[in-house]
């Protein structure tokens, strides 16, 4: 069937069919793979967002529960039984934790101090006299009242029955939506009361309502039983609506998962917008809450749909392109064959008639080009020279001087054509060049010279045109320069006047005052802006020389202003800024910021221009801010020190609940480590710059504390300190303090036998700038990407003359938590540590003070 089909059609059909099959298969695979991955990525991003928010709220819930446990633990170990003091503890906790609504304790009858009868109806007590204080901020300010309904309410009865921590279901109390965190107080295995805190859930709604995903996605929180804790639009649903209230089996399944603490997602209809959405829910472990993220399905999968459409369009375009390409390839193959056949037929017909002017077309494919070329060469060898000569001669006769012989011939035909071309070229050059000059004259351009000089009679023509051009050029240039100068002068004069008026108006309405001084004693004023009246002076006071600028500069700042001006004038500076005080006419002192411009004329004389801006209020604000910042920093370090001391006390109290010496020792070691950190913040609080710690004084206090803690006074062990006057920042002081704590504690516990005398030495020396040479590889090669380390180098030695470190133990691989902590902290401060057991035990540490600078 294809035997009579043209070659072009066959090639197009085969090419397009093959490309179509390949592109269709590959496009289907690509679309399936890419869209599946994009859909999975969209689901994964939404799940991760819901999980992150759930973890965030879980942390908040745990922090609140820790406060409740702290209250109950404190009350369990509280032996003083002072009700006023306990009230003060609860009040301080409420004030130190602004996010709390209330703090409280409630004791069983006569379980606190056995004096309930003495406190009947007293403040913070009810008619039973039981100790049930409730500090709260329901009315905005902290106040105390007795707890209500504790005999029947879950917040008291559940901890009593279970002897475990309880987080209540969300509830409204006096118009506030909140939850309660309650922990039981257990003494000698018996329940004696509760300690708890109340937390408002308003902040949950504020945070969750701000969550946005894709274009219209939103989030809300629900309780374990499905009660809505937040909603971005329906605030009236909070605390009143339940997931079970909405229709749909999917929501009921989600409610059951949330109740069982299971995360997941489902596709449902949004009761608010009516759109099809994907609902992702993640449990909040502490409190049995759940974070729910609602994402419109259409928006979440919009990228997938768009990507699929783009791939389909690209595939269709590719098929069309390949079809066009196949057509062009087929046409390029068959076209030259058809043209050659038609050409030969036409030449044969004309040759029979005696018409030798017809030529074969040589614009064919290279494989067929020699056939028409051979035929044309035979015809050209006879006809072309004669016809070309006739054509050029006729063109010259008509004035067409650009015509040239365009064929390549030989012999006498070549000599004739060369002579004819030379004549026409010379004549054409002279006429074209003359016409170009005359055309330039018409456009008032007299710069174009004659470039082609004629000979004989032609030379008279070219010389005359050139002389005329020179005269016209000279006259025209002079006229244009005069006109340009006049126009420029008028424009500058008009612009100068307009600019002067505008600048005067702007300056007089601005807060800056402009001066022009002479560089002479007292700085006489040549010009001052009219707004100098803001200082109480008049312009004439200065221009009349009644008042010099030096007269209004504050006497205490006069020397500073003179020195700065002399230095900048002497150094060749063109402008500089300075701040100093001036006096108004009424004697008021004002701070100003002056920008001075120094100008020098041709004679070298100096002229001063300047503007001054009143910055008095700015100065006052700066001083107030500096004072507030200093107070804030001191308060922060003071609070951290107090909190660390509370932790140390809690560790000491908790150790009393154990009989195992190893457990007690572990608590004591942790207590000493916390104490070493608390000392750093205490020293920062006491320092003047709030940046560095007097480490010599710190080491003295830390070692004295450790010697007292280990009762060294009962043993003959002495302490020797050899410490330079060193100040270290927080980044180095905290880890170095813990290192000294561990090494000195180890020496006190293990270096000397009972009754044995000895000495412990702590030596800290400053070695100067530069790297220590013993830093880890990444510190020397610059591979650390978190910070650049700079500062002074130091050496720390902690040694004793006791029985020595056991040789069979590698101190870098020991199971001792203290030595593991030392190795880790030495790496943290980018240092090196060595052990010498020659005479007792000697730990040598070389390190550099860390100063961190953020990488860009």
């Amino acid at each position: 069937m294809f035997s009579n089909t043209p070659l072009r059609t066959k090639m197009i059909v085969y090419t397009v069919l093959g490309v179509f099959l390949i592109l269709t298969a590959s496009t289907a695979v690509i679309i399936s793979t890419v869209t599946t991955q994009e859909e999975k990525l969209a689901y994964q991003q939404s799940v991760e967002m819901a999980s992150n928010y759930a973890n965030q709220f879980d942390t908040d819930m745990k922090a609140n529960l820790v406060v409740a446990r702290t209250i109950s633990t404190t009350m369990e170990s509280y032996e003083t039984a002072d009700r006023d003091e306990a009230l003060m503890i609860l009040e301080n906790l409420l004030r130190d934790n602004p996010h709390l609504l209330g703090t409280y304790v409630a004791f069983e009858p006569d379980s606190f101090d056995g004096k309930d009868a003495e406190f009947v109806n007293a403040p913070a007590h009810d008619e039973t006299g039981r100790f049930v204080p409730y500090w709260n901020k329901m009315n905005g300010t902290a106040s105390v009242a007795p707890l209500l309904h504790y005999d029947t309410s879950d917040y008291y009865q559940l901890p009593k029955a279970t002897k475990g921590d309880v987080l209540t279901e969300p509830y409204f109390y006096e118009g506030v939506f909140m939850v309660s965190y309650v922990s039981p107080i257990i003494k000698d295995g018996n329940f004696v009361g509760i300690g708890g805190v109340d937390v408002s859930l308003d902040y949950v709604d504020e945070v969750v309502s701000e969550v946005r995903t894709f274009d219209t996605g939103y989030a809300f929180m629900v309780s374990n039983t499905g009660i809505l804790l937040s909603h971005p639009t329906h605030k009236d649903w909070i605390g009143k609506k339940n997931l079970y209230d909405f229709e749909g089996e999917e929501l009921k399944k989600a409610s059951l998962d949330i109740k069982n603490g299971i995360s997941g997602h489902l596709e449902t209809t949004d009761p608010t917008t009516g759109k099809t959405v994907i609902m992702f829910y993640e449990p909040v472990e502490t409190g049995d809450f759940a974070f729910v993220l609602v994402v419109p399905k259409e928006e979440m999968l919009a990228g997938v749909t768009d990507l699929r459409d783009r791939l389909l369009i690209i595939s269709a375009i590719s098929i069309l392109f390949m079809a066009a390409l196949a057509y062009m390839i087929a046409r390029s193959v068959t076209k030259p064959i058809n043209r050659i056949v038609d050409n030969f037929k036409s030449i044969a017909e004309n040759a029979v008639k005696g018409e030798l002017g017809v030529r074969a077309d040589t614009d064919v494919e290279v494989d067929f080009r020699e056939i028409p070329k051979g035929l044309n060469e035979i015809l050209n060898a006879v006809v072309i020279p004669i016809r070309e000569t006739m054509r050029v001669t006729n063109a010259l006769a008509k004035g067409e001087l650009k015509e040239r012989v365009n064929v390549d011939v030989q012999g006498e035909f070549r000599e004739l054509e060369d002579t004819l071309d030379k004549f026409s070229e010379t004549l054409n050059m002279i006429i074209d060049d003359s016409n170009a000059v005359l055309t330039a004259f018409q456009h008032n351009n007299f710069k174009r010279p004659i470039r082609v000089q004629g000979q004989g009679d032609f030379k008279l023509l070219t010389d005359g045109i050139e002389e005329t051009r020179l005269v016209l050029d000279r006259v025209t240039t002079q006229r244009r320069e005069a006109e340009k100068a006049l126009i420029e002068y008028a424009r500058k004069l008009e612009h100068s006047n307009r600019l002067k008026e505008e600048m005067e108006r702007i300056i007089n309405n601005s807060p800056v005052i402009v001066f022009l001084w002479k560089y002479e004693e007292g700085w006489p004023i040549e010009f001052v802006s009219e707004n100098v009246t803001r200082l109480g002076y008049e312009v004439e006071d200065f221009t009349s020389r009644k008042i010099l600028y030096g007269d209004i500069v504050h006497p205490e700042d006069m020397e500073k202003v003179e020195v700065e001006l002399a230095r900048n004038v002497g150094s060749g500076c063109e402008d500089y800024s300075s701040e100093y005080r001036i006096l108004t006419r009424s004697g008021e002192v004002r701070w100003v910021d002056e920008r001075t411009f120094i100008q020098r004329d041709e004679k070298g004389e100096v002229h001063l221009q300047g503007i001054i801006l009143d910055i008095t209020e700015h100065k006052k604000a700066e001083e107030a801010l500096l004072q507030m910042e200093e107070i804030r920093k001191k308060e922060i370090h003071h609070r951290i020190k107090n909190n660390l001391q509370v932790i140390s006390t809690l560790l000491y109290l908790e150790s009393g609940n154990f009989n195992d010496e190893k457990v007690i020792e572990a608590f004591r070691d942790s207590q000493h480590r916390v104490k070493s950190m608390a000392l750093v913040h205490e020293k920062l609080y006491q320092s003047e710059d709030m940046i560095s710690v007097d480490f010599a004084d710190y080491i003295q206090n830390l070692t004295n504390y450790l010697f007292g803690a280990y009762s060294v006074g009962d043993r003959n062990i002495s302490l020797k300190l050899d410490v330079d006057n060193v100040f270290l920042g927080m980044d180095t002081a905290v880890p170095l303090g813990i290192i000294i704590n561990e090494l000195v504690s180890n020496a006190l516990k293990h270096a000397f036998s009972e009754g044995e005398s000895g000495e412990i030495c702590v030596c800290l020396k400053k070695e100067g700038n530069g790297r220590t040479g013993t830093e880890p590889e990444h510190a020397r090669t610059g591979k650390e990407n978190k910070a650049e380390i700079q500062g002074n180098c130091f050496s720390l030695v902690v040694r004793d003359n006791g029985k020595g470190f056991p040789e069979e133990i590698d101190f870098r691989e020991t199971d001792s938590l203290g030595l593991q902590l030392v190795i880790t902290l030495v790496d943290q401060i980018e240092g090196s540590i060595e052990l010498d057991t020659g005479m007792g035990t000697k730990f040598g540490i070389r390190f550099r003070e860390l100063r961190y600078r953020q990488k860009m």
Side-chain angles (χ1 to χ4, degrees):
M1 181 177 65
F2 282 147
S3 59
N4 296 323
T5 303
L7 178 61
R8 180 187 303 176
T9 304
K10 292 180 181 180
M11 295 180 67
I12 293 173
V13 170
Y14 292 145
T15 304
V16 172
L17 183 60
V19 170
F20 175 78
L21 293 176
I22 294 173
L23 285 179
T24 300
S26 61
T27 301
V29 173
I30 293 172
I31 290 175
S32 176
T33 303
V34 173
T35 53
T36 301
Q37 292 177 348
E38 287 292 324
E39 186 172 343
K40 287 181 179 179
L41 181 60
Y43 273 89
Q44 182 180 354
Q45 289 176 344
S46 299
V47 170
E48 289 178 354
M49 178 182 289
S51 178
N52 289 338
Y53 277 102
N55 291 336
Q56 174 185 335
F57 287 108
D58 184 57
T59 301
D60 293 343
M61 302 298 180
K62 287 181 178 178
N64 295 327
L65 186 57
V66 166
V67 177
R69 288 175 178 170
T70 301
I71 294 174
S72 63
T73 303
T74 303
M75 292 297 104
E76 287 174 2
S77 58
Y78 186 59
E79 301 296 340
T80 307
D82 186 336
R83 300 197 181 201
D84 291 336
E85 187 176 31
L87 285 172
M88 188 181 300
I89 292 174
L90 293 176
E91 181 184 7
N92 290 337
L93 275 175
L94 181 61
R95 296 185 185 279
D96 291 342
N97 295 273
H99 65 282
L100 297 180
L101 274 178
T103 56
Y104 50 86
V105 294
F107 282 87
E108 290 284 273
D110 286 325
S111 294
F112 183 71
D113 55 5
K115 301 177 180 180
D116 287 356
E118 299 178 13
F119 291 92
V120 172
N121 291 325
H125 299 77
D126 57 13
E127 65 275 3
T128 66
R130 289 169 63 175
F131 191 44
V132 288
Y134 176 41
W135 276 98
N136 64 86
K137 295 184 289 189
M138 292 295 181
N139 297 322
T141 58
S143 61
V144 65
L147 287 169
L148 302 176
H149 312 303
Y150 50 82
D151 285 336
T152 58
S153 297
D154 288 346
Y155 76 87
Y156 189 88
Q157 297 302 321
L158 284 179
K160 180 178 180 180
T162 62
K163 295 186 180 179
D165 297 333
V166 171
L167 173 60
T168 68
E169 274 289 301
Y171 62 94
F172 283 97
Y173 181 74
E174 294 188 4
V176 178
F177 196 47
M178 64 183 183
V179 293
S180 298
Y181 297 83
V182 187
S183 184
I185 303 173
I186 308 297
K187 288 187 177 181
D188 298 327
N190 297 319
F191 173 83
V192 299
I194 63 166
V197 296
D198 289 343
V199 180
S200 172
L201 292 178
D202 289 344
Y203 85 99
V204 172
D205 182 54
E206 293 175 2
V207 173
V208 177
S209 295
E210 294 298 325
V211 175
R212 290 292 183 270
T213 179
F214 296 95
D215 294 332
T216 61
Y218 63 92
F220 61 90
M221 288 271 288
V222 296
S223 70
N224 183 36
T225 58
I227 296 175
L228 268 66
L229 306 183
S230 70
H231 197 279
T233 56
H234 293 282
K235 303 299 182 182
D236 56 327
W237 289 0
I238 298 175
K240 299 175 182 178
K241 280 278 188 179
N242 192 300
L243 285 181
Y244 292 102
D245 297 336
F246 300 105
E247 298 180 356
E249 292 298 326
E250 300 87 353
L251 288 178
K252 293 181 180 179
K253 179 182 178 302
S255 301
L256 185 60
D257 286 346
I258 291 172
K259 186 173 183 180
N260 295 327
I262 301 173
S263 61
H265 63 271
L266 57 90
E267 181 176 331
T268 185
T269 300
D270 189 349
T272 303
T273 62
K275 295 181 179 179
T276 299
V277 296
I278 307 298
M279 184 180 294
F280 299 86
Y281 47 90
E282 287 288 335
V284 178
E285 180 180 351
T286 304
D288 293 332
F289 296 162
F291 178 86
V292 182
L293 187 66
V294 181
V295 183
K297 184 177 181 180
E298 181 181 358
E299 295 176 6
M300 188 175 74
L301 301 181
V304 178
T305 303
D306 182 64
L307 178 60
R308 183 185 61 218
D309 294 342
R310 288 175 182 268
L311 290 174
L312 289 173
I313 292 172
I314 292 172
S315 177
I317 292 174
S318 300
I319 293 173
L320 293 176
F321 173 77
M322 290 306 298
L325 183 61
Y327 173 79
M328 293 175 64
I329 293 173
R331 188 172 182 273
S332 67
V333 172
T334 59
K335 183 178 180 180
I337 298 175
N338 294 333
R339 287 177 61 189
I340 291 174
V341 173
D342 294 340
N343 237 235
F344 269 70
K345 183 177 179 181
S346 176
I347 291 173
E349 291 175 353
N350 284 282
V352 172
K353 298 176 182 180
E355 297 177 3
L356 302 178
V358 179
R359 297 292 183 270
D361 187 3
T362 60
D363 186 15
V364 295
E365 297 295 331
V366 66
D367 296 329
F368 310 103
R369 193 171 298 163
E370 293 300 324
I371 297 174
K373 283 178 64 177
L375 181 61
N376 289 341
E377 287 177 1
I378 295 173
L379 296 172
N380 290 340
V382 178
V383 178
I384 290 178
I386 298 174
R387 289 185 174 180
E388 190 67 16
T389 302
M390 293 175 61
R391 185 186 64 80
V392 174
T393 303
N394 290 331
L396 292 175
K398 297 177 182 178
E400 298 174 358
L401 304 181
K402 292 185 180 181
E403 287 294 332
R404 299 291 183 272
V405 177
N406 297 324
V407 296
D408 184 14
V409 295
Q410 298 177 356
E412 294 181 357
F413 283 124
R414 180 76 271 168
E415 294 179 3
L416 175 62
E417 291 171 355
D418 288 346
T419 302
L420 188 61
D421 284 347
K422 184 176 181 181
F423 170 74
S424 62
E425 183 176 352
T426 302
L427 183 61
N428 185 54
M429 289 173 58
I430 293 174
I431 293 176
D432 285 347
D433 191 52
S434 300
N435 285 336
V437 175
L438 294 174
T439 301
F441 286 1
Q442 294 175 357
H443 294 86
N444 293 325
N445 178 13
F446 305 104
K447 299 295 184 182
R448 172 67 163 80
I450 288 291
R451 296 192 179 97
V452 180
Q453 302 295 328
Q455 296 179 356
D457 292 338
F458 285 129
K459 190 174 189 306
L460 295 176
L461 172 64
T462 57
D463 288 348
I465 293 174
E466 181 64 15
E467 290 177 1
T468 303
R469 184 193 68 80
L470 292 174
V471 172
L472 291 174
D473 181 49
R474 183 167 56 251
V475 172
T476 303
T477 301
Q478 293 174 353
R479 177 178 58 80
R480 288 178 176 175
E481 290 178 351
E483 291 177 352
K484 184 178 180 181
L486 289 172
I487 293 172
E488 181 66 17
Y489 176 76
R491 186 187 65 79
K492 289 183 178 180
L493 183 61
E494 181 182 0
H495 178 72
S496 176
N497 291 334
R498 186 169 61 252
L499 184 62
K500 179 181 177 182
E501 294 174 357
E502 183 67 20
M503 289 301 295
E504 287 180 353
R505 182 168 62 254
I506 293 173
I507 291 171
N508 291 329
N509 293 330
S510 71
V512 299
I513 302 174
V514 180
F515 285 90
L516 178 62
W517 302 280
K518 287 187 176 181
Y519 186 48
E520 300 175 2
E521 183 179 358
W523 307 312
I525 294 177
E526 296 181 327
F527 170 81
V528 62
S529 57
E530 294 180 0
N531 58 353
V532 73
T533 54
R534 297 178 180 178
L535 302 178
Y537 302 104
E538 299 293 336
V539 174
E540 294 181 357
D541 294 338
F542 295 100
T543 55
S544 64
R545 303 292 176 89
K546 293 180 182 179
I547 300 176
L548 305 179
Y549 189 78
D551 297 336
I552 70 173
V553 177
H554 196 285
E556 295 179 2
D557 294 344
M558 188 65 179
E559 182 179 355
K560 166 181 173 294
V561 176
E562 290 176 341
V563 170
E564 284 186 351
L565 178 59
R567 181 177 68 251
N568 284 284
V569 171
S571 65
C573 178
E574 295 183 354
D575 64 89
Y576 71 95
S577 297
S578 178
E579 293 183 2
Y580 55 88
R581 294 168 292 178
I582 63 172
L583 300 172
T584 65
R585 180 181 287 276
S586 62
E588 180 184 0
V589 178
R590 307 292 293 180
W591 276 94
V592 295
D593 180 6
E594 177 197 329
R595 181 68 179 269
T596 302
F597 302 89
I598 304 172
Q599 298 180 342
R600 298 169 177 82
D601 57 20
E602 296 177 353
K603 299 180 181 179
E605 295 181 356
V606 176
H607 300 276
L608 305 176
Q609 295 180 3
I611 58 175
I612 64 172
L613 176 65
D614 191 331
I615 60 170
T616 305
E617 300 303 322
H618 177 69
K619 281 287 186 180
K620 292 179 179 179
E622 282 184 349
E623 293 176 0
L625 286 174
L626 288 174
Q627 293 177 0
M628 292 173 63
E629 180 67 13
E630 187 72 17
I631 294 172
R632 186 181 67 83
K633 287 182 178 179
K634 285 184 174 287
E635 179 64 18
I636 288 172
H637 288 296
H638 183 61
R639 285 177 177 267
I640 293 174
K641 186 262 294 182
N642 287 345
N643 290 336
L644 289 173
Q645 287 181 341
V646 170
I647 294 172
S648 177
T649 302
L650 291 175
L651 288 172
Y652 170 74
L653 294 173
E654 187 65 24
S655 66
N657 295 329
F658 299 92
N659 297 321
D660 191 330
E661 287 298 327
K662 291 184 178 180
V663 175
I664 295 174
E665 183 179 354
F667 272 100
R668 183 170 61 181
D669 290 343
S670 298
Q671 181 183 356
H672 297 335
R673 291 167 187 147
V674 173
K675 182 66 176 179
S676 69
M677 291 187 286
L679 280 174
V680 172
H681 289 280
E682 182 177 2
K683 294 303 176 184
L684 274 175
Y685 174 74
Q686 296 171 353
S687 66
E688 295 181 359
D689 58 7
M690 299 297 294
I691 297 175
S692 57
V693 176
D694 183 351
F695 215 71
D697 185 44
Y698 171 78
I699 292 177
Q700 178 72 52
N701 291 346
L702 178 59
T703 52
N704 288 342
Y705 165 75
L706 293 175
F707 268 61
Y710 287 99
S711 303
V712 176
D714 300 335
R715 295 186 286 170
N716 189 19
I717 300 175
S718 61
L719 171 65
K720 179 180 178 181
L721 297 180
D722 185 8
V723 182
D724 285 352
N725 188 20
V726 172
F727 287 83
L728 298 176
M730 281 288 291
D731 293 320
T732 305
V734 172
L736 192 61
I738 297 176
I739 290 172
I740 295 173
N741 173 79
E742 296 299 326
L743 295 179
V744 173
S745 297
N746 282 346
L748 290 171
K749 291 190 291 183
H750 306 298
F752 306 103
S753 302
E754 189 69 29
E756 183 181 359
S757 62
E759 179 184 72
I760 297 175
C761 177
V762 180
C763 176
L764 178 63
K765 294 295 182 180
K766 180 178 180 182
E767 296 184 348
N769 294 325
R771 295 198 176 275
T772 64
T774 60
E775 298 158 330
E777 180 64 25
H778 71 269
R780 296 197 300 273
T781 60
K783 294 180 181 178
E784 175 64 49
N785 61 6
K786 291 182 180 178
E788 291 186 3
I789 305 172
Q790 301 175 342
N792 297 316
C793 294
F794 300 90
S795 65
L796 170 67
V797 175
V798 179
R799 61 176 174 83
D800 62 71
N801 57 358
K803 54 190 177 183
F805 197 86
E807 295 183 358
E808 66 276 9
I809 298 177
D810 181 0
F811 77 96
R812 299 180 188 274
E813 301 296 335
T814 180
D815 294 334
S816 169
L817 176 61
L819 287 178
Q820 290 178 7
L821 187 59
V822 170
I823 298 300
T824 301
L825 292 176
V826 169
D827 288 340
Q828 180 179 326
I829 61 176
E830 303 294 343
S832 62
I833 181 170
E834 299 295 337
L835 173 62
D836 182 2
T837 58
M839 296 179 62
T841 301
K842 175 182 176 182
F843 283 95
I845 299 173
R846 300 184 71 197
F847 65 95
R848 172 194 303 280
E849 182 181 5
L850 301 183
R851 298 193 183 110
Y852 288 97
R853 184 180 68 196
Q854 187 70 30
K855 287 276 189 181
M856 295 301 292

